[in-house]
Amino acid sequence: MPNKGSVDRSIMPIAEGMRFCGPAFTVRSRVTQKQVPQITGDEYTEWARNYWYKEVQIQPWDSELQQGDIVVLESPDAACGEIGSYNSLDMHTKGAAAVVTSGGARDRDECIAQGVPVFARWRNQAMTQGRVEYETYGVPVTIGNVQIKPGDIVVGDGDGVVAVPREHAELVAKYARQENENDKKGRAALYARLGWELDESTR
C-alpha cells in the first residue's frame, strides 16, 4: 500500500514511549454554535455538569467499546483540548487501549501519569464548553488526511500513526513483521561490531 495510511506527522504522542496497535473505534465531533451563558461561577459549574456534559459533549458510544479498541476522534480545530485526563481514563476503563485525535489534548501531565496513550495534533488548556460538541460515531472519519473506517487497524508510536484498512491488515502485518525482523538482525550485527549489548529494539 505505497503512499497510503500514513497519518499527517502533526498527530503525535503527547509523551515519549506511548504506543498502541488495535482496531479503530471511530467518533466525530464538530464545532458548536451553543454559547456559554453569562452566569456566576457556581451557576457555571452546575450548567457544565448538568447540561454540557449530559446533553452536548456526550459519549453515547462508550458502552460499545471493546477491550483493545483505539478511539479515533475526528475533531475540528477549535482551540481546545477535547481529550483530557478524565475522558481518556474513562474510555480506558471501558476497554479503549489508546485515543487518537485530529484535535487537541489537555492535562498532559496527568495523562502521562495515567499511562493511557494519547496522540493529538495540539496541546491546549481550554475545555470544550462553547467550542465543540459530539456529532456521531461508527462512521468513516478523516484523521491527518487519512480516512479511517471502523475496524481498520491503527498503529502508533514515536514516529506517528499509521492506519491500515481492515481488509488489507493481514498482508500488511506480514510484510511489516518481515521488515522489522530484517531491521533487527541488521542492527544487532552493528551492535556486535560496536561491542554493545542488545536491547529491546534488537532482540
Side-chain angles (χ1 to χ4, degrees), residues 122-170:
W122 300 286
R123 298 173 188 169
N124 301 90
Q125 307 97 332
M127 299 176 74
T128 62
Q129 291 90 320
R131 297 180 177 92
V132 297
E133 63 184 21
Y134 162 78
E135 182 177 356
T136 189
Y137 75 99
V139 298
V141 296
T142 300
I143 302 288
N145 300 318
V146 173
Q147 184 190 89
I148 300 177
K149 296 176 293 185
D152 285 351
I153 302 302
V154 283
V155 182
D157 61 15
D159 291 330
V161 179
V162 172
V164 180
R166 180 169 47 184
E167 60 269 25
H168 300 301
E170 187 173 344

Side-chain angles (χ1 to χ4, degrees), residues 38-48:
Q38 296 297 313
I39 51 181
T40 67
D42 288 340
E43 290 171 336
Y44 174 83
T45 298
E46 290 299 313
W47 174 86

